[in-house]
Amino acid sequence: MDRSLDLVPSYLFPINRRVFRRMTDGDRRVDRGRGSAAAAPPPYASSSGFGVAAMQLYRVCRVIALLLCSVGIFVSIYAYYVETKKEANRNYRAACDVSEWISCSKVFTSKYGRGFGLLEYLVGKEHWINQPNSVFGIFFFILHIILGQIQRQKTALIQVLMSVIANIGSVYLASILYFVLHDFCIVCFTIYIINFLILLCNITSWRDLSSFLRQKSRSGQRVKPKQS
């Protein structure tokens, strides 16, 4: 009770003091109720900080992977352009043809530049599926961008598996460059680096998304991550 009201003369405070005290006490109870409600932590507060951090890192990795895929598409288109120009004109010299031992067109026009040097033995050299490696790279990066927009644990795992296969292909083609063609391809190694960085992003995204969903399931809440 506010005892300061007793010091106020009655002729300065014409209304009933008891009524005023009831009004002020009621306001205080409302304010205390609001304060406790605002300060009350959510039932999953113990894991919310971890979940927010995991989702933030997940989104950052998705953005980085998107940028890497965009660069990969650009480099693959350039590789396809160089290959088609070289096939049409044997005297064409690309910007990536630095010397006899550092030449990308030499690699692109070899039998390993189409179907990874393997499809011609399976379906034939003239089969439509025996496309330049750059075409498969373009489809790979575009599919990666599409799957990256689906925030599901299984989709993230599929991206990890795709990246693992892509990096195995990178090791295979790099060994062909070194041991068979004895050449260094700047464009090829750029793609290899991009594939490796995408693999790191995919592993991190899958791990963080799995941790986020696991923490939310433990809290007893069904939470769907928001799309960025």
Side-chain angles (χ1 to χ4, degrees):
M1 301 289 255
D2 194 352
R3 298 187 180 279
S4 60
L5 294 175
D6 296 333
L7 302 178
V8 181
S10 59
Y11 59 86
L12 294 177
F13 206 85
I15 67 173
N16 190 293
R17 296 176 185 172
R18 186 174 298 176
V19 174
F20 183 79
R21 284 173 181 148
R22 291 175 181 173
M23 294 170 59
T24 55
D25 289 343
D27 292 339
R28 291 193 189 98
R29 284 194 296 270
V30 171
D31 292 337
R32 284 196 298 269
R34 290 175 179 174
S36 60
Y44 54 90
S46 59
S47 62
S48 60
F50 176 82
V52 170
M55 284 307 297
Q56 287 178 347
L57 185 57
Y58 168 82
R59 293 191 177 100
V60 170
C61 289
R62 287 295 89 205
V63 172
I64 295 175
L66 175 62
L67 295 176
L68 290 172
C69 288
S70 301
V71 176
I73 292 174
F74 174 79
V75 176
S76 298
I77 292 175
Y78 175 74
Y80 181 78
Y81 171 79
V82 170
E83 181 175 351
T84 53
K85 289 286 290 185
K86 188 67 175 180
E87 289 178 349
N89 181 12
R90 304 303 299 180
N91 296 322
Y92 171 76
R93 185 178 180 87
C96 54
D97 293 336
V98 180
S99 66
E100 183 181 357
W101 306 107
I102 305 177
S103 173
C104 57
S105 61
K106 176 183 176 181
V107 178
F108 298 154
T109 55
S110 69
K111 71 173 185 177
Y112 300 100
R114 280 182 172 266
F116 309 102
L118 300 174
L119 289 180
E120 65 174 272
Y121 298 107
L122 299 176
V123 297
K125 186 176 180 179
E126 302 299 328
H127 197 278
W128 66 269
I129 202 174
N130 189 35
Q131 295 291 326
N133 297 346
S134 55
V135 174
F136 294 104
I138 292 172
F139 279 104
F140 170 79
F141 293 122
I142 291 177
L143 181 60
H144 233 79
I145 292 176
I146 295 174
L147 293 178
Q149 309 307 310
I150 305 174
Q151 296 186 1
R152 294 181 180 275
Q153 189 174 0
K154 291 183 178 179
T155 306
L157 180 59
I158 291 174
Q159 289 182 286
V160 172
L161 297 177
M162 288 176 56
S163 293
V164 170
I165 296 174
N167 278 268
I168 293 174
S170 296
V171 173
Y172 162 73
L173 292 176
S175 63
I176 294 295
L177 284 175
Y178 184 79
F179 295 107
V180 179
L181 299 177
H182 307 288
D183 186 80
F184 181 82
C185 176
I186 299 175
V187 175
C188 302
F189 271 87
T190 302
I191 294 294
Y192 303 159
I193 294 173
I194 290 175
N195 287 339
F196 180 71
L197 294 177
I198 290 176
L199 173 62
L200 296 181
C201 289
N202 287 337
I203 292 175
T204 304
S205 299
W206 173 64
R207 180 196 63 190
D208 292 335
L209 183 60
S210 301
S211 299
F212 174 81
L213 296 176
R214 187 162 51 248
Q215 288 291 332
K216 293 305 179 182
S217 63
R218 288 176 181 174
S219 67
Q221 295 194 1
R222 298 179 61 186
V223 177
K224 182 180 180 181
K226 297 180 180 179
Q227 295 185 356
S228 57

